[in-house]
Every structure is written in structure tokens, then in C-alpha cells.
Amino acid sequence: MTAAGLLVAVGIVFGDIGTSPLYTYRAIIEDRVVDETLALGGVSAIFWTLTFQTTLKYVLLTLRADNNGEGGIFSLYTLIRRYAKWLLFPAIAGGSFLIADSIITPPISVSSAIEGLLPLYPDLPTVPIVLTIIFLLFAAQQAGTDKLGKAFGPIMTIWFTMIGLMGALQLAKNPGVIRALNPVYAYDMIVNYPEGFWLLGGVFLCSTGAEALYSDMGHVGRRNVQVSWFYVKICLILCYLGQAAWLLDHMGKPLGNLNSFFGLVPDWFMLPSIGIATLATIIASQALISGTFTLVSEAFRLTLLPKMRIVFPSDARGQVYIPAFNWLLMAGCFIVVLHFRESKNMEAAFGLSVNLTMLTTTVLLGMYLYAKKRVNGLIVLSLLLIYFFIEGGFLIANLRKFTHGGWVSLLLGMIMITVMLVWHNGSRIKRRLTQFVSLRDHLPILRQLSNDNDVPKYATNLVYLTASSQHQLVEEHILDSILEGMPKRADVYWLIHIELVDDPYTTEYVVDILEAEDVVRITFKLGFRVQPRINLLFRKVVEEMVRCHEITIKPKYRPLKPNPNAIGDFRFIVINRFLSYENELSLLETFIMNGYFALKRISLADESAYGLDSQNVATEQIPLVVNAANPIRLRRVKGKGDIDEPLDGLNMVADV
């Protein structure tokens, strides 16, 4: 925990939850006539939602479930996946709906701020302004959250201080509003107000940034998030109390185009406040986008999404940038803005996806506390029941918004769930059908081929990537590639295995010389923050082995300048699988495998994912047979040109 860390945490972690005062009260009241029950009951429900959902569940409990400092629902799943296979499904659902939320948050946040100008400029075209701001936001992502956090930290500190002071000034005019912190007022609104239960859909919006708070933990550290939250929460509660006090002065009539948040702003400060609010909503979007990048990068490692290029903009821990996904998110945000056009139309779609993510996090957190931390089962069960009751109530209230826009977040979430399930199951089927054979049994023939001068040399160093974690096993199709058809002769056959480790910056390797001077296996142990530039790393290892006389390599061609450490040419063989026509698949298998290979075509190619130079790479295609087709019975019949005497076996039935 440092002062700079606290500032960055305020800048990039709390933007989403910090801008909720712009729209939460409006979502609660909607077109209803303002009365004391709505004003006081609303702020009471908001206070206790922030206390139970954000402070207790996320800041005090969930942030402790970090995976080497990284947060997010997939990090939580990684910690407990060995305890039960079914945990994959809530993890996929939660991650999918959080990604859906990241498409809705920027439009509603930015639109809410820009629409604050409408009372001053009624004819202002807000949609082009919102689209421009969203474009600039996504274009700035490549700078990294470290630089953005340093710029955003002071702005968000000003924002929280501003809303806290405005709320405190309004509260000073009517200090009796503080009595609303008594949960009785929330109960009265939910139970006694006409259709009061459905108001929880609006109340829930005050906590929509809590899940992003957990995902962003890896960017700034747990302690910085926990300590800075208490300052943020005080400012938020003061702002909500101030809005309740303002609403008590406007009882007996609907709000119309008024916004209780901007009602706290003095006339002379209106334009500056809208400017600060706009900057704050941009930062709110940044908080969720950076958390989504972390989430997606973890999904790559869990084989839940097809690979995309990952960029590390800085050396700061946990900061990633995924260019392709960045522009996909931006396109999704554009579609949301153009479809809904106004922030009030987006509110129905906003809370539902976060609500579903929170429920799945509750399930995983319960398993984490019980199975990994060995917390008493009764305590865990009590905690689960409390949060199922709270979040289940919010979910029922949010489902009422389904036809008013909630279907959008559900549709986006279901699309992501389908993509993840297809990719995960397709990868699992492909791994299941990969046959491994004993490398020891094939070493003699590899040695014989390497030293057979009658066979033209294919390459000095022939390199294959293997998924086998055991050095004595290798994929059968790798041996087929070397030995079948025209044999590939090389001085040395290299097998490379990449093992991703949890430590972010590990760069280690292990060498197994399986057959002296002929077959060598290298296992690279790379941290999840290390770019797997295998072409560069492999060359360094080979040069080191030649220098240490562990292996002797004779280049295929005589170099112009003699070099005692010359290692010759490299040839990497990348083997891709394609779905064979010789399959008879069920409808579900057809959908999974066709979807998997369609996604693979748009994913990052293996040579790019592993940093292989294209001029050194040869690609081979081999068929993948999931369920072999039934034999076809063929019968040969006599043709016009056949001789009269039947030949032995010509009319026999053959199974093909």
C-alpha cells in the first residue's frame, strides 16, 4: 500500500460504482410522484446495499480470494476448480455476464453525464458526442492502466470530493435525513409502498461496479483497494443523503426531466460539474474495461476463449491490453448507444447482467471458503443463504425489466456463454482424441533417420511443439509427420513444451537429452506475463548448449564466415487439425465442432501466439475424426469393357 497506489486505485477501480449517483435515484423514482417513503426508503436501501454487497462481500471477503495477486471470477475459479468439475459452469456464466456488462456500462455512464446538459441546451445532439467520447476512451486503452490511472486518480479524487461536499451541504439544510440509515425505512419502502419490491431493480444500480472492483484488484493491489474504498464510500453516502434531502424539498410531484444529482449543484457550478461528471464517467468505463481485459486474458489460459494477441503496456503487475477485444467492445458499445439512444432506456439492461455475475461469484466464494479456507460449514451456509436472499431478490426485481431492455444483457451474456462452452468442449474433444505414444520406442528409428545420408536433409534443426507434459511421451501425429510419406531428416529433432506458471515473470527451462546428438526436449516454464517468443528463446537455448558442448550441430550449408557456435537453420513444424468429412456426428457434436473450428479460424494462429518467424514455419494439416463414419458396402459389377470370365474376388462385397 502506497500513496501512489491509493491514488491509482481511486482512479481505475471505483469509477463504475463512483458514478452510480448520476442515475440510481432516477431509476428508483422513474415517473412516480416523490414522497418521503421514496426519498428516505431509497437512500436507506442504497446504504445497506453498499454495506452488504460492496463492503462486506467484495472488499472484506472476496478480495482475499486472490490468485497470486490477480482478481476476478476466473481467478477465483482457478483456486477451487480441483474440488468440483461443475464449478466451471458458474464461472463461465459469471464471466460472460461481466463481459456483457462491459458493453453496457460505457454507454449508460457517458450518456448520463452528457444528458446533464439538456436542461441548458434542450436541442443538444447527445448521441454523436457520446460516440466520440467512447471512441477516444477505447483508443486510449493501449496506453495501459498504469499511465491512465496516474492521470485518472486526481480526477476521480476531485469527483468524489465534489459529490461528497455537495451532498454534505444539502444534508446540512435538512440533517434529519440521516435517520434514513435505519434499515426500517428500506423495509417500509419495499413492503408498504405500492409495488415497492420492484424498486429494488433501481436500488441495485448503486452497486454495479463491485464486480469490476474485484477484477481490477490485480492492477493496483488488494490493500490499496480496501483502504481507498472507505473514503469512496463516505463520499457516496453523503451524496445519496444529499439527494434524499433535495427530494424532500420536491415532494408531491414527479421529477420529469430533473435529475436529483444535478439538483445538488449550484447554478454557477453547473457547467464545471457536468465536465467533471463526464470525465468521471469516462473513467467509470475504464474501470470495467481494464477489468474485462484481465478477465479475458484469464479465459485464454483456461481454454474458455480463442487466443488473441495480448499486449503488456507497462511493467506494472496485472496490466494487459487485448487489441482485438478492445475494438470488439467498442463496436458493441456503439450498437448499444445507437439502439437505446438515451441513458434512461439503458437502465433496464444495465443491472441484470451484473446481478447474475454476483450470484455466480457467491457460489464460487462459498466453495472457496468451505473447501480451500476450511471455514465452518454452517458459517458458509449461513453466508450463502444471506446472499442468495439479497441477490435473489434483486434478480427477481431486475427480471421485470426484461422486456424493457433487460433482454439485451441476457442476449449478450448467452452469446458469450455459448462461445465459451463451444471453445472449451471443442478443445476438450480435440485433446481427448490426441494419441500419445512412447518416445523411447521410437528413438532408434529417429537416430537411424538422422544419420542416414541417403535421405535428403530437410533441416538442420527440426522443431515441433508438443502438448505432452511427460518427456517420454509425444503426440502420434508428430512421429507420423517425421516418418510417414517422405521422411524428414534432420541433424537434431527438437521437442518444445511450454508450461505456464502462476508467477508472472518466470523464465526458466529444462533440457532433456533423450538421444545424444539426435533428439532433445526443452520445457520452457514461462510466467503468465511473459510473451512466449519461442523462436528467440529456443535459439538462445541452442546456442548455450552448443557453447557448453552438450550438442554438436553441423549446419546444412557452409557459412561464409566460420563460426564455432553456428547452429544452422531452423524449421518449425506447426500441425493443425481440421474436421474430417469421415465423421458421423450427432447434432450437438456437429454444432460444437463446427463452432470450434469456425472460432479457430478467427483466433490467433499458433505461429503468432508462440512468436515463430513465418519464414521458418511449415504448417501441416491432419484430419480430426471424432466419430468414424459407418463402413460403406461396395460391390464391384461387370463393366462393358470387362472380359467374360469373372476374376477372383471381383464380385465380393468390400467394406470401405
Side-chain angles (χ1 to χ4, degrees):
M1 185 179 67
T2 63
L6 292 171
L7 188 65
V8 172
V10 172
I12 66 173
V13 174
F14 299 110
D16 190 5
I17 200 168
T19 53
S20 58
L22 284 168
Y23 45 76
T24 299
Y25 247 123
R26 184 184 62 193
I28 294 172
I29 296 175
E30 295 180 331
D31 297 327
R32 299 176 179 88
V33 174
V34 178
D35 62 11
E36 185 176 282
T37 303
L38 281 178
L40 299 184
V43 75
S44 181
I46 288 169
F47 172 78
W48 290 105
T49 299
L50 288 175
T51 299
F52 274 93
Q53 287 296 111
T54 310
T55 304
L56 180 58
K57 179 183 173 182
Y58 282 95
V59 175
L60 297 181
L61 289 177
T62 311
L63 287 187
R64 296 181 180 275
D66 67 291
N67 184 10
N68 291 289
E70 297 292 331
I73 194 167
F74 287 145
S75 286
L76 181 57
Y77 164 70
T78 303
L79 292 171
I80 59 174
R81 58 179 170 174
R82 68 178 181 271
Y83 297 113
K85 292 183 178 180
W86 61 267
L87 293 171
L88 174 67
F89 298 102
I92 285 178
S96 298
F97 284 115
L98 188 59
I99 292 173
D101 180 53
S102 66
I103 297 176
I104 301 171
T105 294
I108 189 174
S109 299
V110 177
S111 297
S112 296
I114 297 301
E115 288 167 6
L117 292 169
L118 290 178
L120 301 176
Y121 307 100
D123 298 326
L124 183 70
T126 59
V127 171
I129 299 174
V130 172
L131 292 176
T132 301
I133 292 173
I134 289 175
F135 170 77
L136 294 175
L137 170 66
F138 281 97
Q141 293 302 311
Q142 55 194 314
T145 53
D146 184 45
K147 296 177 182 177
L148 292 174
K150 290 176 180 176
F152 289 167
I155 298 173
M156 289 306 296
T157 302
I158 293 171
W159 165 257
F160 285 118
T161 304
M162 181 188 82
I163 65 174
L165 286 175
M166 291 193 310
L169 290 173
Q170 190 68 38
L171 182 60
K173 299 177 183 178
N174 190 353
V177 171
I178 204 168
R179 70 185 186 274
L181 299 185
N182 187 332
V184 170
Y185 287 90
Y187 176 83
D188 182 53
M189 181 187 74
I190 296 169
V191 175
N192 297 323
Y193 190 84
E195 297 187 341
F197 175 80
W198 305 111
L199 300 179
L200 289 177
V203 172
F204 182 76
L205 298 184
C206 74
S207 64
T208 49
E211 191 68 41
L213 176 150
Y214 180 38
S215 299
D216 277 323
M217 177 178 62
H219 297 246
V220 296
R222 182 177 67 201
R223 292 296 296 165
N224 287 318
V225 175
Q226 289 176 326
V227 172
S228 55
W229 163 246
F230 290 99
Y231 168 72
V232 170
K233 184 180 179 182
I234 290 171
C235 294
L236 287 173
I237 295 303
L238 286 173
C239 183
Y240 283 120
L241 286 170
Q243 290 188 55
W246 182 87
L247 287 169
L248 290 178
D249 293 334
H250 293 75
M251 290 195 300
K253 54 185 177 182
L255 286 178
N257 292 327
L258 296 178
N259 186 319
S260 58
F261 173 82
F262 288 108
L264 304 179
V265 183
D267 293 340
W268 59 270
F269 193 61
M270 183 61 71
L271 287 177
S273 70
I274 293 174
I276 297 172
T278 302
L279 292 175
T281 56
I282 293 172
I283 297 168
S285 306
Q286 166 63 39
L288 197 55
I289 293 168
S290 58
T292 303
F293 287 156
T294 302
L295 186 83
V296 171
S297 66
E298 291 166 347
F300 295 159
R301 295 184 62 200
L302 295 170
T303 64
L304 297 178
L305 285 175
K307 291 178 182 177
M308 297 181 184
R309 187 169 69 94
I310 298 178
V311 177
F312 300 99
S314 71
D315 292 332
R317 181 183 177 87
Q319 297 184 16
V320 298
Y321 168 64
I322 306 173
F325 206 82
N326 182 66
W327 303 119
L328 282 174
L329 284 180
M330 188 190 75
C333 291
F334 276 22
I335 292 172
V336 169
V337 172
L338 294 173
H339 176 72
F340 288 107
R341 309 201 64 89
E342 296 182 25
S343 62
K344 65 180 181 181
N345 299 330
M346 304 175 195
E347 291 166 0
F350 187 38
L352 189 54
S353 55
V354 188
N355 199 169
L356 291 166
T357 302
M358 287 183 172
L359 274 168
T360 58
T361 300
T362 299
V363 174
L364 298 178
L365 180 63
M367 180 61 76
Y368 171 80
L369 294 174
Y370 177 72
K372 189 169 182 66
K373 290 301 182 180
R374 305 296 181 185
V375 177
N376 183 278
L378 289 176
I379 296 176
V380 173
L381 180 60
S382 300
L383 198 65
L384 287 175
L385 290 176
I386 289 172
Y387 279 101
F388 283 151
F389 176 76
I390 295 173
E391 293 167 354
F394 281 129
L395 178 62
I396 294 171
N398 277 316
L399 284 174
R400 195 190 191 194
K401 305 175 181 179
F402 180 82
T403 56
H404 300 287
W407 62 271
V408 173
S409 57
L410 284 180
L411 176 63
L412 292 172
M414 293 306 298
I415 290 173
M416 290 305 306
I417 288 174
T418 302
V419 169
M420 289 189 187
L421 287 175
V422 164
W423 185 259
H424 178 75
N425 285 288
S427 301
R428 183 173 55 83
I429 291 172
K430 194 175 78 169
R431 287 195 302 270
R432 187 191 73 206
L433 296 174
T434 300
Q435 298 294 324
F436 292 91
V437 296
S438 171
L439 188 57
R440 186 189 301 274
D441 296 341
H442 294 82
L443 289 178
I445 192 171
L446 290 176
R447 180 177 65 249
Q448 179 184 345
L449 177 60
S450 178
N451 294 281
D452 188 350
N453 293 325
D454 293 334
V455 178
K457 185 185 290 187
Y458 184 78
T460 305
N461 300 284
L462 190 58
V463 190
Y464 288 87
L465 297 176
T466 174
S468 174
S469 58
Q470 303 179 42
H471 69 277
Q472 290 297 343
L473 296 179
V474 68
E475 291 90 337
E476 186 177 34
H477 59 250
I478 290 180
L479 293 175
D480 290 342
S481 172
I482 298 173
L483 301 173
E484 295 291 330
M486 184 178 292
K488 297 182 177 67
R489 178 179 163 234
D491 288 341
V492 184
Y493 296 100
W494 301 86
L495 299 171
I496 294 180
H497 176 67
I498 301 169
E499 179 183 335
L500 291 177
V501 298
D502 288 334
D503 185 80
Y505 297 109
T506 297
T507 50
E508 299 174 348
Y509 69 94
V510 176
V511 175
D512 293 300
I513 300 179
L514 303 173
E515 184 69 33
E517 303 292 348
D518 292 314
V519 183
V520 182
R521 173 187 164 111
I522 300 174
T523 300
F524 287 104
K525 297 182 178 182
L526 303 179
F528 60 83
R529 291 294 309 278
V530 178
Q531 291 275 29
R533 296 170 179 163
I534 298 304
N535 196 77
L536 173 64
L537 298 176
F538 174 63
R539 182 176 288 274
K540 290 177 69 68
V541 171
V542 176
E543 289 174 350
E544 180 69 19
M545 293 181 68
V546 171
R547 190 162 49 248
C548 296
H549 306 290
E550 294 180 271
I551 195 167
T552 303
I553 295 180
K554 298 177 182 179
K556 183 177 179 180
Y557 303 105
R558 182 183 300 277
L560 295 177
K561 297 180 180 180
N563 181 2
N565 296 323
I567 59 175
D569 59 295
F570 290 80
R571 178 61 62 91
F572 291 88
I573 304 294
V574 174
I575 299 178
N576 292 322
R577 314 289 291 270
F578 66 91
L579 190 62
S580 171
Y581 287 110
E582 297 180 12
N583 276 295
E584 285 193 2
L585 304 176
S586 67
L587 185 62
L588 179 60
E589 288 174 329
T590 301
F591 175 75
I592 290 175
M593 297 312 299
N594 285 333
Y596 172 81
F597 283 104
L599 291 170
K600 190 169 180 61
R601 281 193 291 271
I602 63 174
S603 67
L604 191 66
D606 287 341
E607 49 266 38
S608 299
Y610 296 114
L612 304 178
D613 288 337
S614 58
Q615 66 267 26
N616 296 332
V617 179
T619 302
E620 296 182 357
Q621 305 287 337
I622 62 173
L624 180 68
V625 179
V626 181
N627 288 322
N630 292 325
I632 302 174
R633 299 179 65 83
L634 292 177
R635 181 184 298 275
R636 180 170 175 176
V637 297
K638 185 182 294 186
K640 293 181 179 180
D642 288 344
I643 59 177
D644 293 335
E645 294 81 3
L647 297 178
D648 291 342
L650 277 186
N651 11 340
M652 294 180 63
V653 175
D655 288 336
V656 179

